[in-house]
């Protein structure tokens, strides 16, 4: 079976609403032409409560897809979620973090399932069939990171005998974003599945879990304007026959980031280099690209960021490109110098140890010990690197001795 994995469509994403709709439709239509089934691991919508216009966009896309002639069909659906199977159309999705609502409440992705436009496999297994080949998809809708282990423990997803088993989720794992130790590791994912697929991460990732493929197609629309988002958007096409997959690009709007560095530069120089960079990039890119210029380094003395007439540059090119100029990393030397003077004036003239001594004396005075002990010697004892027991013993000896 050829399975398209299309994720994080973010229909209704306000900054690039038109792109989100057009690119979602293109990805899904393209997928429907070359795949037997489509799996969507979350974030079809950008918001929990999208506007009716946005819901209409999604209904239009999925209605057209559901009217196509599909050879594969969803033939089984377990009802532990309490929902009924409303269609056999082989488009299986789960709710992502952007659609998630409180437990027991309806969510907008679920409504598409209720309308029979797709199969909502959040916390459920849906079985696809084509020419006697069976593919079982277990879906875990996006849950808050700290609850994943608990939810997986309760649901206890198991592969189905006689089928190719896919585990589909919408989460971060420690291997993807190693920021917190509370988050699940890849190896915590249930074993025994033939393929693991994930949404949530907006760039393409291909890893291994339990010796099997772990695939993330990335989003179909640009949302964060980070350096890592310059790759092409699209989806993945996986074939169960030979356990292979490939990336299928879509016509997404081009995005490019350029970093410019300056040293004590007057605003004129910065603006002129931004202009030249923009001109160069516009000559290389087709359509109306998204161009982000990151201005770094220092301004010449006497100027501030407000002296930079970069807004004109953005509006002058508005019909040719979406331009964003980020000068949050541009430092003002006068301000920097001021901060440095304050820092050196108050802190550097006194060593850390001296500062500690001043605080220590204040504490001794507060507890009326200042005349009962040799403060300098006691401080030395307390700041020695030795065992706590030894330090306490030595400090007690000093206190007993007195001055
Ligand atoms: Mn997303």
């Amino acid at each position: 079976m050829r399975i398209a994995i299309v994720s994080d469509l973010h229909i209704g994403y306000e900054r690039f609403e038109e792109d989100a709709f057009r690119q979602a439709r293109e990805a899904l239509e393209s997928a429907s032409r070359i795949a037997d089934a489509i799996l969507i691991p979350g974030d079809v919508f950008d918001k929990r409560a999208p506007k009716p216009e946005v819901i209409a966009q999604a209904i239009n896309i999925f209605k057209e897809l559901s009217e196509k002639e599909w050879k594969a069909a969803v033939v089984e659906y377990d009802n532990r979620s309490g929902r009924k199977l409303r269609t056999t159309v082989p488009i299986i999705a789960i709710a992502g973090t952007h659609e998630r609502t409180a437990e027991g409440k309806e969510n907008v992705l679920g409504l598409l399932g209720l309308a029979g436009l797709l199969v909502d496999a959040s916390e459920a297994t849906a079985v696809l069939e084509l020419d006697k080949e069976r593919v079982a998809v277990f879906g875990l809708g996006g849950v808050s990171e700290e609850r994943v282990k608990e939810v997986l423990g309760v649901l206890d997803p198991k592969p189905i005998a006689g089928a190719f088993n896919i585990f589909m989720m919408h989460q971060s794992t420690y291997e993807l974003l190693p920021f917190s130790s509370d988050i699940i590791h890849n190896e915590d994912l249930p074993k025994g599945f033939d393929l693991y697929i994930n949404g949530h991460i907006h760039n393409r990732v291909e890893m291994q879990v339990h010796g099997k493929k772990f695939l993330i197609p990335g989003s179909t629309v640009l949302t964060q304007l980070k350096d890592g988002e310059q790759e092409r958007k699209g989806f993945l096409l996986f074939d169960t026959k030979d356990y292979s997959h490939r990336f299928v690009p879509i016509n997404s709007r081009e995005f490019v980031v350029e970093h410019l560095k300056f040293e004590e530069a007057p605003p004129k120089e910065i603006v002129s280099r931004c202009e030249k960079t923009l001109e160069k990039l516009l000559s290389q890119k087709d359509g109306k690209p998204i161009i982000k210029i990151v201005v770094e380094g220092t301004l010449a003395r006497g100027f501030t960021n407000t002296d930079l007439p970069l807004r004109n540059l953005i509006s002058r090119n508005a019909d040719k490109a979406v331009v964003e100029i980020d000068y949050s990393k541009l430092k003002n030397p006068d301000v920097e110098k001021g901060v440095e003077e304050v820092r050196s004036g108050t802190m550097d003239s006194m060593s850390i140890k001296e500062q500690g001594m001043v605080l220590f004396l204040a504490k001794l005075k507060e507890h009326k010990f200042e005349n009962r002990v040799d403060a300098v010697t006691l401080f030395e004892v307390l700041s020695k690197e030795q065992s706590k027991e030894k330090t306490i013993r030595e400090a007690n000896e000093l206190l007993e001795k007195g001055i």
Side-chain angles (χ1 to χ4, degrees):
M1 210 181 286
R2 290 163 305 166
I3 295 163
I5 308 152
V6 188
S7 194
D8 292 77
L9 307 155
H10 286 268
I11 298 174
Y13 175 60
E14 274 168 8
R15 183 158 187 198
F16 302 118
E17 199 169 319
E18 191 50 42
D19 287 10
F21 171 63
R22 195 173 40 77
Q23 292 171 201
R25 190 175 56 186
E26 195 199 320
L28 290 167
E29 270 186 358
S30 165
S32 75
R33 283 194 295 273
I34 55 176
D36 301 307
I38 300 176
L39 301 186
I40 309 175
D43 285 359
V44 165
F45 291 98
D46 187 63
K47 288 198 171 56
R48 204 169 303 153
K51 296 177 289 188
E53 286 73 17
V54 170
I55 300 174
Q57 287 183 331
I59 290 177
N60 276 320
I61 295 174
F62 286 102
K63 184 72 183 159
E64 275 169 32
L65 288 179
S66 70
E67 285 165 354
K68 291 201 169 200
E69 271 196 31
W70 294 91
K71 279 184 257 152
V74 176
V75 292
E76 266 174 48
Y77 184 71
D78 77 330
N79 63 353
R80 62 182 129 171
S81 60
R83 295 183 302 264
K84 283 184 189 149
L85 183 66
R86 305 275 181 169
T87 180
T88 59
V89 169
I91 301 173
I92 303 176
I94 53 172
T97 33
H98 280 248
E99 289 131 346
R100 185 178 56 211
T101 49
E103 223 174 303
K105 300 279 183 199
E106 296 290 352
N107 69 65
V108 63
L109 191 271
L111 297 184
L112 296 184
L114 202 56
L117 297 171
L118 50 77
V119 175
D120 177 7
S122 309
E123 289 77 66
T125 300
V127 181
L128 289 156
E129 201 175 85
L130 173 67
D131 299 334
K132 289 187 185 147
E133 184 192 359
R134 287 161 74 85
V135 172
V137 182
F138 174 85
L140 173 72
V143 293
S144 51
E145 306 296 357
E146 71 280 3
R147 285 197 59 225
V148 184
K149 258 192 192 168
E150 175 203 331
V151 174
L152 280 177
V154 173
L155 293 170
D156 192 22
K158 291 263 190 304
I160 287 175
F164 182 91
N165 285 279
I166 300 177
F167 180 85
M168 171 159 75
M169 66 171 188
H170 184 96
Q171 300 298 148
S172 287
T173 70
Y174 186 80
E175 285 70 21
L176 292 164
L177 292 169
F179 296 135
S180 154
S181 52
D182 298 341
I183 193 167
I184 53 157
H185 285 252
N186 284 353
E187 62 182 35
D188 297 327
L189 295 175
K191 288 187 176 139
F193 288 81
D194 301 297
L195 174 67
Y196 295 81
I197 65 175
N198 192 15
H200 198 46
I201 308 295
H202 283 195
N203 55 292
R204 199 158 66 248
V205 181
E206 305 177 0
M207 295 173 109
Q208 294 258 326
V209 174
H210 304 314
K212 302 291 178 184
K213 281 185 179 178
F214 179 31
L215 305 176
I216 305 175
S219 63
T220 56
V221 64
L222 183 71
T223 57
Q224 289 160 330
L225 269 63
K226 286 183 183 161
D227 288 28
E229 281 194 293
Q230 295 175 84
E231 64 178 19
R232 286 194 74 179
K233 298 292 183 191
F235 61 93
L236 294 173
L237 186 68
F238 179 87
D239 199 332
T240 57
K241 202 164 52 191
D242 55 4
Y243 203 75
S244 67
H245 75 277
R246 66 181 172 97
F247 176 68
V248 182
I250 55 166
N251 282 312
S252 54
R253 195 203 285 266
E254 275 200 85
F255 171 54
V256 57
V257 185
E258 189 91 22
H259 290 257
L260 300 182
K261 289 192 174 64
F262 295 92
E263 209 174 308
E264 305 221 351
K268 242 170 104 179
E269 184 190 328
I270 296 175
V271 173
S272 140
R273 257 184 78 193
C274 284
E275 261 169 358
K276 282 200 185 103
T277 304
L278 202 52
E279 224 169 89
K280 182 193 83 190
L281 292 173
L282 279 171
S283 69
Q284 294 166 350
K285 301 284 165 198
D286 298 326
K288 191 176 163 182
I290 300 163
I291 295 173
K292 181 175 172 179
I293 299 176
V294 184
V295 178
E296 295 165 6
T298 50
L299 265 166
R301 291 196 182 276
F303 294 106
T304 70
N305 287 356
T306 51
D307 294 320
L308 289 166
L310 293 168
R311 285 200 167 277
N312 299 341
L313 197 65
I314 296 169
S315 53
R316 242 196 348 264
N317 289 285
D319 56 333
K320 285 178 256 161
V322 176
V323 182
E324 180 167 299
I325 300 178
D326 175 6
Y327 46 83
S328 61
K329 289 191 185 81
L330 187 67
K331 300 274 183 284
N332 180 321
D334 294 329
V335 174
E336 294 286 293
K337 193 168 159 256
V339 170
E340 191 51 39
E341 274 164 2
V342 171
R343 223 172 65 88
S344 54
T346 56
M347 310 279 275
D348 287 1
S349 61
M350 213 190 268
S351 72
I352 297 287
K353 200 166 179 179
E354 283 172 316
Q355 291 173 52
M357 189 69 199
V358 170
L359 293 172
F360 183 63
L361 281 173
K363 273 282 167 206
L364 282 180
K365 217 167 175 178
E366 193 185 313
H367 294 285
K368 306 205 182 337
F369 265 94
E370 82 269 29
N371 296 321
R372 292 166 54 187
V373 67
D374 173 4
V376 178
T377 315
L378 181 58
F379 187 79
E380 290 297 336
V381 166
L382 292 176
S383 46
K384 261 193 218 168
E385 276 188 49
Q386 58 183 15
S387 76
K388 200 168 96 184
E389 290 70 29
K390 202 167 176 214
T391 303
I392 291 171
R393 200 171 58 236
E394 285 182 22
N396 271 331
E397 278 167 15
L398 262 182
L399 285 166
E400 275 165 26
K401 208 166 76 186
I403 290 176

